Amino acid sequence: MQRRHFLTHAGATALAGLGLSGAMEQAQAQALPSGPIKLIVGFPPGGGADALARVVAQKLGALWGQQVIVDNRPGASSTLAAEYAAQQPGDGTVLFLSTINSHALAPAVMPKLRYHAERDFAPVALLGLTPNLLITSASSPVKSVKEVVALCKAQPGQVSFGSAGPGTIQHFAIEKFKLLAGVNALHVPYKGSGPLLTDLIGGQIQFTFETMTAATPHLKNGRVVALAQSRAKRSPAYPNVPTMQEQDFPEFETMNWYGISGPAKLPPALARRLNQDINTVLAMTDVQEKFQGFGVEDGGGSVDRYGDFIRSELAKWARVARDAKVSIDS
């Protein structure tokens, strides 16, 4: 209650300082578009990014009393969608589900990107972070990371690991596993987690370091099994799944993250309004339950928090790509 009072008082003081014309300009900047709002997702339906986007879109639509439409534009590890979103008007009619793929990994390994993750986007809010899960089909005889390593050594270059595309966090996790385990395995890229999981369940590929968000529905219905999770500590969503570090990979840690961004010309006042409403959604009990079930943690906070987070991720993965000499033409 005190925080709400402080924010209200601060807003009133700011408006008084702006004067009438300045206050009107800020009010207009904070106003939502009158028509439908699109949330662009760079992956197909059925994956983790899509699942989170639909939860947030539905709640924001109800909060605003207007349509928030999830627009799936898969391809090139979400960079095609990012390029499209960056070119849209900055009036709030188009938002983008920015992820580690579009805003950290792709800039690190794709030198020919036609957008800049910082210059061409306005950060709005961090939705959360989630581990990866090393999963396989429920019919697979492999039951541990140790057995995965043994299989890869017995069949060098033949054991298949799927990813949501070149330069995605699944791809980075595969390369990190190969390096640390000292094995050769086959990387099979897809255009998102949806088709990847379909083939994993059907036995066309053997393993993937899938995002916990995308893997969870299939784990719950018994179609896949989890062999390990990738953050240093076990997620509360999967307390019985050991980490890679617990299974003789002390240097292995990867995670995915999701946020909301707008085109660069999105007015700062509107970005703050959107941030406030997204934080309201993230605080809803049923949203928290869904996010916790997906293993999504540590979301929320200010516009500046998300902007600082993106900058730190860009720097981190640029170092990783440089040190590992990883580059993908785009």
Side-chain angles (χ1 to χ4, degrees):
M1 181 63 70
Q2 289 178 339
R3 180 174 180 272
R4 181 176 294 178
H5 173 74
F6 170 77
L7 290 173
T8 302
H9 176 71
T13 302
L15 287 174
L18 284 170
L20 180 59
S21 61
M24 290 178 64
E25 289 177 3
Q26 179 155 330
Q28 290 173 348
Q30 288 177 321
L32 295 170
S34 58
I37 295 172
K38 285 186 178 181
L39 177 56
I40 307 298
V41 177
F43 297 98
D50 179 73
L52 285 185
R54 291 183 186 279
V55 171
V56 174
Q58 189 275 326
K59 291 296 184 179
L60 286 175
L63 183 67
W64 294 334
Q66 63 192 84
Q67 276 190 304
V68 180
I69 303 167
V70 174
D71 184 358
N72 298 90
R73 292 175 177 264
S77 306
S78 82
T79 59
L80 296 180
E83 180 185 345
Y84 169 81
Q87 297 171 352
Q88 301 310 301
D91 57 3
T93 56
V94 176
L95 301 173
F96 179 59
L97 189 82
S98 40
T99 69
I100 188 173
N101 296 318
S102 64
H103 275 57
L105 299 182
V109 299
M110 296 180 177
K112 298 179 183 178
L113 279 182
R114 288 177 287 187
Y115 68 89
H116 190 282
E118 285 189 274
R119 265 199 318 268
D120 296 332
F121 287 93
V124 175
L126 177 65
L127 297 181
L129 296 78
T130 179
N132 294 92
L133 288 172
L134 175 57
I135 60 174
T136 188
S137 169
S139 62
S140 171
V142 177
K143 303 301 179 187
S144 69
V145 176
K146 183 177 180 180
E147 292 181 14
V148 177
V149 175
L151 182 63
C152 290
K153 289 185 175 179
Q155 302 175 22
Q158 299 179 45
V159 178
S160 55
F161 285 75
S163 79
T168 60
I169 190 59
Q170 295 98 326
H171 182 195
F172 268 77
I174 293 163
E175 297 303 325
K176 193 166 190 175
F177 171 73
K178 288 164 57 179
L179 180 65
L180 295 177
V183 299
N184 183 18
L186 177 64
H187 171 220
V188 183
Y190 287 81
K191 292 184 177 180
S193 292
L196 158 64
L197 287 163
T198 297
D199 276 7
L200 181 76
I201 294 166
Q204 282 75 38
I205 57 170
Q206 293 161 276
F207 305 101
T208 182
F209 285 93
E210 185 52 89
T211 63
M212 189 173 285
T213 315
T216 290
H218 304 285
L219 285 161
K220 288 183 176 179
N221 64 29
R223 293 179 179 176
V224 303
V225 294
L227 307 179
Q229 54 182 300
S230 68
R231 290 189 79 177
K233 295 181 179 180
R234 296 188 186 191
S235 167
Y238 288 93
N240 298 321
V241 177
T243 66
M244 291 291 291
Q245 296 188 8
E246 292 176 278
Q247 299 185 73
D248 299 324
F249 284 82
E251 298 178 18
F252 194 103
E253 184 174 24
T254 62
M255 67 189 78
N256 198 10
W257 51 262
Y258 309 87
I260 302 290
S261 298
K265 293 182 180 180
L266 188 74
L270 180 53
R272 290 191 295 271
R273 159 72 192 275
L274 294 169
N275 173 274
Q276 184 179 27
D277 290 344
I278 291 168
N279 278 309
T280 297
V281 166
L282 295 179
M284 295 177 180
T285 301
D286 58 337
V287 173
Q288 290 182 348
E289 290 174 352
K290 288 179 181 178
F291 275 38
Q292 287 168 4
F294 289 142
V296 180
E297 305 168 334
D298 303 328
S302 67
V303 170
D304 289 341
R305 183 203 177 196
Y306 190 34
D308 291 342
F309 178 79
I310 290 173
R311 277 187 288 276
S312 69
E313 286 286 286
L314 278 166
K316 178 176 75 175
W317 290 105
R319 287 193 302 270
V320 171
R322 182 178 62 247
D323 293 346
K325 298 181 181 179
V326 177
S327 180
I328 299 172
D329 290 335
S330 63

